[in-house]
């Protein structure tokens, strides 16, 4: 699942900025990652393949994206005030409000995945990027 998001950032109920971007949720591992628009998309395959069904629905994916946006953009910021002879340094929390995160669904994209099994274990590889998704070694 891919979602575009936008949110306003607040410090003590005062808006100080906004952020936007796109995140994807792997429907098998539930891992949330930044989505790159430059991903090469193939609309059909000439070889036979098996398409796995998502392990979560769109609403669950939305919740994971919303939680990730709040986590990524929540941080502490030092605010320095100079009151003449006294310098006051305050730590304030900057964060978006979960209920104010705006999400727009971009659709479901299926990634080609290879499952490679050998004598030492099983490895799952993203066939598009070559990145290893998971490794599971056999107990000897």
């Amino acid at each position: 699942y891919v979602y575009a998001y936008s949110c306003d950032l607040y410090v003590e109920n005062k808006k100080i900025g906004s952020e936007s971007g796109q995140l994807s949720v792997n429907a098998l591992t539930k891992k949330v990652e930044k989505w790159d628009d430059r991903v090469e998309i193939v609309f059909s395959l000439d070889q036979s393949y098996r398409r796995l069904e998502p392990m979560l629905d769109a609403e669950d994916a939305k919740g994971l994206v919303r939680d990730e946006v709040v986590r990524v953009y929540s941080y502490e910021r030092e605010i320095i005030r100079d009151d003449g002879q006294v310098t006051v340094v305050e730590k304030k929390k900057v964060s978006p409000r979960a209920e104010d995160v705006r999400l727009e669904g971009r659709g479901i994209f299926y990634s080609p995945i290879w499952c490679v099994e050998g004598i030492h274990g099983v490895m799952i590889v993203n066939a598009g990027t070559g990145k290893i998704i998971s490794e599971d070694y056999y107990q000897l």
Side-chain angles (χ1 to χ4, degrees), residues 1-2 27-28 35 39-43 45 49-54 107-113 126:
Y1 295 97
V2 176
L28 298 175
W35 179 258
V39 172
E40 196 171 312
I41 298 173
V42 176
F43 293 99
L45 294 174
Y49 62 93
R50 191 174 106 212
R51 182 158 71 180
L52 300 175
E53 291 302 315
I108 297 176
F109 293 82
Y110 291 90
S111 298
I113 295 175
N126 181 329

Side-chain angles (χ1 to χ4, degrees), residues 41-98:
I41 298 173
V42 176
F43 293 99
S44 66
L45 294 174
D46 295 334
Q47 298 116 358
S48 64
Y49 62 93
R50 191 174 106 212
R51 182 158 71 180
L52 300 175
E53 291 302 315
M55 300 295 279
L56 71 158
D57 63 11
E59 285 304 312
D60 292 338
K62 256 186 175 178
L64 291 171
V65 169
R66 185 173 283 111
D67 293 346
E68 182 70 4
V69 168
V70 170
R71 187 190 69 75
V72 167
Y73 293 110
S74 296
Y75 59 92
E76 283 193 348
R77 180 180 188 180
E78 287 187 353
I79 298 175
I80 301 171
R81 288 188 325 216
D82 192 5
D83 294 337
Q85 297 183 3
V86 178
T87 301
V88 179
V89 178
E90 290 182 281
K91 287 190 176 186
K92 302 276 184 167
K93 184 170 182 171
V94 176
S95 67
R97 298 179 187 141

